């Protein structure tokens, strides 16, 4: 979609979570504690609804775990190519996810990029940006700008 809407070449884009075009989207969390925290499944439980519900939740926790480091390694060639970029544009990101699920990606990007004054532009939808900006600053991104919108027609 980025290639089509923004006329970007594929070598400038990393679909770290897969692509809807290739039908290989990766969704989930990288919270190891949630992944490891399985609910008790007692087959002697008299209420089958509890046992069944716990089995479903355990399966959901396991299948929705996203190993961020695995996806970084699978895309290491892309990350290595961006060491000299001067601007990073983040589009369509849930701003409250930085402290959790996607922090590994931002940390890797910041470690690879040599430019201390890299410009970061975040295009977001109706969210409070103060905490997000502070977290990006804490990771070493100092020149952060936000472009918010209520509605965008593509």
């Amino acid at each position: 979609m980025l290639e089509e809407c923004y006329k970007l070449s594929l070598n400038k884009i990393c679909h770290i979570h897969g692509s809807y075009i290739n039908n290989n989207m990766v969704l989930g969390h990288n919270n190891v504690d949630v992944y490891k925290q399985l609910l008790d499944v007692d087959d002697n439980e008299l209420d089958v609804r509890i046992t069944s519900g716990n089995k479903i939740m355990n399966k959901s926790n396991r299948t929705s775990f996203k190993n961020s480091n695995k996806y970084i390694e699978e895309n290491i060639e892309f990350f290595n190519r961006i060491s000299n970029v001067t601007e990073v544009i983040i589009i369509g990101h849930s701003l409250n996810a930085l402290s959790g699920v996607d922090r590994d990606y931002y940390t890797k990007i910041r470690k690879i990029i040599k430019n201390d004054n890299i410009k970061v532009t975040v295009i977001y939808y109706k969210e409070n940006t103060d905490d997000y900006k502070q977290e990006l600053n804490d990771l070493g991104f100092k020149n952060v700008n936000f472009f918010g919108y209520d509605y965008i027609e593509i």
Side-chain angles (χ1 to χ4, degrees):
M1 182 155 191
L2 294 171
E3 310 85 295
E4 297 163 15
C5 290
Y6 299 101
K7 306 296 185 224
L8 296 172
S9 87
L10 283 174
N11 70 343
K12 293 185 177 189
I13 301 169
C14 179
H15 292 289
I16 195 84
H17 295 139
S19 167
Y20 79 96
I21 293 171
N22 298 329
N23 199 24
N24 66 346
M25 296 292 293
V26 176
L27 304 173
H29 65 88
N30 71 344
N31 187 331
V32 175
D33 294 331
V34 169
Y35 180 70
K36 289 181 178 177
Q37 178 186 355
L38 299 179
L39 301 171
D40 289 333
V41 176
D42 182 359
D43 289 328
N44 295 322
E45 171 68 48
L46 294 177
D47 191 340
V48 71
R49 294 172 299 178
I50 293 174
T51 302
S52 296
N54 287 354
K55 286 180 181 179
I56 291 168
M57 290 304 295
N58 289 342
K59 182 179 180 183
S60 175
N61 281 344
R62 283 191 305 273
T63 58
S64 65
F65 180 74
K66 176 176 64 172
N67 184 341
S68 300
N69 289 321
K70 171 188 165 195
Y71 296 109
I72 289 171
E73 287 306 313
E74 287 177 357
N75 291 281
I76 197 66
E77 289 179 25
F78 175 83
F79 283 103
N80 289 336
R81 283 197 321 262
I82 65 170
S83 63
N84 293 314
V85 300
T86 58
E87 181 176 15
V88 172
I89 301 172
I90 301 166
I91 301 173
H93 188 274
S94 176
L95 299 185
N96 62 359
L98 177 61
S99 60
V101 69
D102 291 333
R103 187 176 185 90
D104 293 341
Y105 303 127
Y106 289 98
T107 301
K108 182 68 172 178
I109 289 168
R110 186 61 199 110
K111 283 181 182 176
I112 286 175
I113 295 175
K114 298 174 184 173
N115 180 352
D116 286 335
N117 283 330
I118 183 156
K119 179 180 178 184
V120 177
T121 301
V122 181
I123 301 172
Y124 67 98
Y125 177 75
K126 287 187 179 179
E127 295 188 46
N128 182 344
T129 61
D130 294 340
D131 292 338
Y132 189 70
K133 185 171 186 172
Q134 184 59 51
E135 287 196 55
L136 285 169
N137 288 163
D138 291 347
L139 285 173
F141 295 103
K142 303 300 180 196
N143 185 5
V144 179
N145 301 294
F146 291 90
F147 173 74
Y149 62 90
D150 288 334
Y151 175 79
I152 266 189
E153 186 174 315
I154 296 178

